[in-house]
Amino acid sequence: MTNLHLLQAATACYALSVFAYLAQIVLQRNWLQRSALLLVSGGFLLQSACLAWRWQLAGFLPVTNLFSTLFFFSWALAACYLYFELRYRIGASGLFVMFLNLLLLSVALRRDAAIPPLVAALDTPFFSLHIVFSFLGYALFAMAFSLGGLYLIQRFLPLRQLPELPLLRKLNEEAIFLGFALFTLCLVIGAVWAYWAWGYYFSWNIKGIWSFLVWLFYAGMCHAKFIRRWQGTGYALLSIAGFGVVLFTYLGIGLLLDSNHPLE
Amino acid sequence: MMTRTWNLLCSLKLAIWLASLATLLLMGGSLLVPFNGRVFGTMDQVPFATWLAETASKQLSLTWWFWLAALIMILFGLNTLCCFLDWLVHIRARWRKTGEYLLHLGVVLVLLAYIWGSLGGWRNPGLQLRIGVPVELPQWPGHALRLDEFTPLFSGSGPPQDMISQLTLLNGDGESRSARVGINAPLLHNGLVITPVSFGQLPVGLRFLAPDGTRHELHSGDTLHLENGSDLRVLRFVADLQQRSDGSLFFRDDRLGIPAYEVQVGYADGGTWQGWYLPTRGLPHQLKMAGFNLQPVAPVYQNYSILTVNYDPGARLAATGGTLMTIGVLLALFSFYRKRARQDRPEI
Ligand code: HEM
């Protein structure tokens, strides 16, 4: 068995859980929801074991190429989904996060999974922490996107199966705040590391600018929730727009433009 | 009037407006960055204010949004500072928000530090240092940097695992600081930061073969005792000596071209001669007379180190701001659920 078998098994669990959640929406059976949760938990355990295995093989947290970052983003999404599911039993409300998770894994599984040797500049705990906090932040922003989308559905096409609007709003605000807090840590650590490695703590490259923009955008959102007019629908729309900014920062820049954070 | 200005500066709505405006401007403008390397490519090589004054001011059609975004960020910083001060005034009632407001203060300090560093700092992104040759820091008169030792570390093929420079920072005549600099291990000294960039090799002399098969290297400063009692002193070695049409000599490059030694010969009979010896052009008869009988075989190279040497007077303030942000965000994070349960939040 190789570590990739673990990942394939995890992907299968996640895929089955999505079916279980979809069936639960239609059939409304408690056992379906419980099975879905079990499947996500099982998938997460398998993926964590795979991550630990790869970490042990490499001797460092393997997050240095597209396969590894997709893998890690997917792991962070599953962790974030489980956090909300165990806390609030949101069930199918986080389905988008699981879809995104599957999408990332399906792209990752088609790529070369070999762990490239670590470039000297990345051989520091600053790098690992910078990446861990950035993907945990991104995962929470993805969760906010999902909850924002559901808020709009519930608002304009009410569905009995979805949580009530106040709960969706509360969870959306929570995901944004937690994501912002973790992303702040990611930026502070990145800035210290940049200062040590390059001699300045902010680089005016496109990735640097957009990471700052992501942070500024979500800082703005941390305040917009205090303004009555922006609560609810406005906030849901902002959560969706914010995730667009995140996707561009993570994928768009690496794929479309030249940057000092290439994807491979 | 005063109260109205204060209220405006403490207003959350103003903060959201400013943050949104800055976001939109930077979003649109930043897309110009990768496609205009000539203008934006030098941004990390000089402090921000220098770039604004020297490059951006000459390309306003491409950079106007930067000026506006910078102005908005300054206003935003002021807005954040006022919010913090407003909290400080009401701290008895609002102490539970200490985490959030440490974060606000941290942001203000980092912004201030960035402005300070942009105005008062300097950057030297590719200082080339040869072993033992002190180099003046042009932006910091009276200070020089000396490379005492350089070791690139490799593991197999590929890029180096580390580039270790043993450096001494010279302050006037006295040595002020010695340190080892490597990848992710900079020298930090009162706002000065020195990090490795790259390294290279330069010819520093030639290797010669003697008739008895022994090898000799000749570098600047070496002295060679010749068989017939003469002494040869190498005044200097240059890697590429060229002659102009008027006959005058000049050094073209640090890389190997026409290598040359400036030498001084002290003959056994007490006479001296000083002149150039170009090994690729044959032996001057003054050297033949002195009994010099070595054959040049290969150049001798020595590593040199390329370093970034930056000075940022705001670096400590930025570090303080970053620390406050970290503490603040952690406090806010760990008290989030308790405060949410208390419904402890403003509604505007
Ligand atoms: C980049 C700058 C800023 C950052 C990163 C930031 C960050 C934050 C965060 C994370 C919170 C906590 C949100 C929560 O409790 O869920 C917060 C709350 C708050 N911020 Fe800011 N903020 C910034 C600028 C400002 C500015 C300019 C103002 C001025 C009006 C402001 C006023 C407030 C207020 C009034 C609160 C609510 C505090 C409370 O709960 O009592 N912030 N900020």
Side-chain angles (χ1 to χ4, degrees):
Chain A
M1 189 170 81
T2 69
N3 61 65
L4 277 191
H5 289 122
L6 284 179
L7 185 59
Q8 284 155 353
T11 311
C13 286
Y14 292 145
L16 285 174
S17 80
V18 167
F19 283 118
Y21 278 130
L22 286 174
Q24 142 78 6
I25 292 177
V26 182
L27 303 173
Q28 294 284 299
R29 295 279 187 282
N30 273 346
W31 66 269
L32 275 172
Q33 174 146 359
R34 274 199 303 277
S35 320
L37 174 59
L38 264 177
L39 283 164
V40 179
S41 310
F44 181 68
L45 284 180
L46 288 167
Q47 197 178 2
S48 303
C50 178
L51 180 65
W53 189 340
R54 289 171 63 80
W55 192 338
Q56 199 255 333
L57 274 181
F60 53 88
L61 181 66
V63 276
T64 48
N65 61 357
L66 187 55
F67 172 87
S68 320
T69 59
L70 288 168
F71 175 104
F72 193 77
F73 192 4
S74 132
W75 180 84
L77 283 169
C80 163
Y81 177 78
L82 272 178
Y83 180 77
F84 277 84
E85 170 69 4
L86 293 175
R87 221 183 153 94
Y88 303 105
R89 302 287 158 183
I90 54 172
S93 306
L95 209 53
F96 166 77
V97 173
M98 291 316 292
F99 272 133
L100 184 64
N101 187 359
L102 277 180
L103 184 73
L104 294 181
L105 285 176
S106 64
V107 177
L109 279 170
R110 267 184 263 140
R111 302 193 71 92
D112 182 9
I115 304 171
L118 192 61
V119 182
L122 306 185
D123 190 4
T124 155
F126 285 127
F127 171 64
S128 311
L129 288 171
H130 178 62
I131 295 288
V132 168
F133 285 124
S134 89
F135 281 113
L136 287 175
Y138 285 175
L140 284 154
F141 297 146
M143 180 52 105
F145 172 95
S146 177
L147 292 162
L150 288 177
Y151 186 95
L152 294 181
I153 296 177
Q154 185 68 320
R155 171 87 205 277
F156 297 106
L157 294 166
L159 286 175
R160 203 167 34 86
Q161 294 91 329
L162 287 180
E164 297 291 318
L165 281 177
L167 179 63
L168 285 173
R169 182 188 134 190
K170 178 171 122 173
L171 300 193
N172 189 2
E173 291 178 359
E174 177 178 344
I176 297 282
F177 174 79
L178 297 180
F180 172 78
L182 297 180
F183 200 66
T184 303
L185 294 177
C186 155
L187 289 198
V188 172
I189 292 166
V192 176
W193 178 34
Y195 189 70
W196 280 47
W198 303 327
Y200 42 85
Y201 52 88
F202 181 74
S203 167
W204 284 104
N205 65 71
I206 183 99
K207 187 89 176 185
I209 299 176
W210 276 75
S211 301
F212 174 68
L213 281 175
V214 168
W215 181 78
L216 195 61
F217 187 93
Y218 284 103
M221 283 195 73
C222 282
H223 299 85
K225 69 177 173 215
F226 300 138
I227 295 179
R228 280 198 193 87
R229 203 140 43 96
W230 277 99
Q231 289 166 354
T233 307
Y235 212 69
L237 288 170
L238 283 177
S239 311
I240 291 168
F243 194 58
V245 183
V246 168
L247 279 186
F248 182 72
T249 308
Y250 169 48
L251 286 176
I253 290 174
L255 294 176
L256 305 176
L257 305 167
D258 224 13
S259 106
N260 70 344
H261 284 61
L263 287 174
E264 283 174 295
Chain B
M1 177 68 189
M2 282 286 280
T3 326
R4 272 183 51 197
T5 315
W6 177 251
N7 286 344
L8 176 69
L9 283 174
C10 291
S11 135
L12 201 58
K13 282 191 179 160
L14 178 70
I16 294 177
W17 269 107
L18 291 174
S20 312
L21 263 176
T23 307
L24 288 175
L25 264 177
L26 284 171
M27 266 181 190
S30 68
L31 297 179
L32 294 170
V33 171
F35 303 106
N36 292 281
R38 207 170 32 82
V39 178
F40 300 105
T42 55
M43 286 191 79
D44 286 337
Q45 289 166 18
V46 288
F48 185 56
T50 314
W51 178 81
L52 278 182
E54 289 177 2
T55 309
S57 61
K58 297 190 184 103
Q59 297 281 346
L60 284 177
S61 58
L62 283 174
T63 62
W64 60 268
W65 55 277
F66 245 118
W67 299 85
L68 205 56
L71 183 74
I72 293 172
M73 285 311 294
I74 290 173
L75 281 178
F76 186 59
L78 188 66
N79 188 194
T80 314
L81 177 65
C82 293
C83 286
F84 170 75
L85 293 176
D86 186 52
W87 169 76
L88 211 54
V89 173
H90 301 103
I91 191 165
R92 275 164 157 261
R94 290 163 68 190
W95 62 270
R96 283 195 181 80
K97 300 293 163 113
T98 304
E100 284 80 348
Y101 284 97
L102 283 183
L103 171 62
H104 288 77
L105 178 63
V107 172
V108 174
L109 295 188
V110 171
L111 270 175
L112 273 177
Y114 193 74
I115 296 172
W116 186 8
S118 296
L119 292 170
W122 46 260
R123 291 185 183 182
N124 207 328
L127 194 73
Q128 199 168 309
L129 285 183
R130 299 170 72 160
I131 293 170
V133 185
V135 173
E136 285 269 333
L137 297 175
Q139 299 95 334
W140 207 10
H143 289 78
L145 206 56
R146 190 183 64 215
L147 179 66
D148 299 321
E149 223 180 291
F150 178 76
T151 326
L153 295 181
F154 292 93
S155 69
S157 58
Q161 278 303 102
D162 212 335
M163 300 178 274
I164 296 175
S165 300
Q166 179 69 41
L167 293 174
T168 303
L169 183 64
L170 303 158
N171 176 3
D173 297 331
E175 298 188 353
S176 61
R177 177 89 196 268
S178 274
R180 258 163 73 98
V181 166
I183 292 177
N184 288 322
L187 187 163
L188 303 174
H189 179 77
N190 292 337
L192 194 75
V193 52
I194 304 179
T195 62
V197 177
S198 175
F199 70 97
Q201 290 197 318
L202 284 178
V204 288
L206 299 178
R207 187 167 298 123
F208 292 84
L209 192 63
D212 64 1
T214 54
R215 287 171 185 269
H216 300 268
E217 285 181 8
L218 280 186
H219 312 105
S220 304
D222 286 352
T223 301
L224 195 66
H225 302 293
L226 302 172
E227 277 168 17
N228 64 4
S230 309
D231 280 336
L232 176 121
R233 215 151 69 80
V234 179
L235 299 177
R236 58 179 157 164
F237 169 81
V238 292
D240 189 8
L241 184 76
Q242 299 283 331
Q243 197 162 25
R244 292 197 186 86
S245 49
D246 65 3
S248 61
L249 299 172
F250 71 102
F251 318 122
R252 190 172 57 178
D253 203 15
D254 275 344
R255 279 164 297 182
L256 203 65
I258 301 176
Y261 286 100
E262 189 174 17
V263 294
Q264 196 175 51
V265 183
Y267 296 103
D269 63 6
T272 58
W273 172 77
Q274 183 172 329
W276 286 98
Y277 161 41
L278 281 62
T280 51
R281 303 278 159 90
L283 204 59
H285 76 276
Q286 290 91 337
L287 285 185
K288 269 190 210 148
M289 272 167 50
F292 184 88
N293 57 0
L294 304 180
Q295 288 293 324
V297 282
V300 178
Y301 288 95
Q302 191 181 55
N303 287 326
Y304 64 89
S305 179
I306 302 177
L307 301 159
T308 288
V309 184
N310 290 350
Y311 172 67
D312 182 345
R316 269 206 197 133
L317 187 64
T320 311
T323 310
L324 288 182
M325 284 175 70
T326 307
I327 298 172
V329 103
L330 289 174
L331 281 176
L333 199 59
F334 289 116
S335 59
F336 176 75
Y337 290 107
R338 218 170 331 121
K339 276 186 272 198
R340 190 174 67 178
R342 290 166 48 99
Q343 301 265 327
D344 186 2
R345 60 183 256 173
E347 294 277 334
I348 297 169

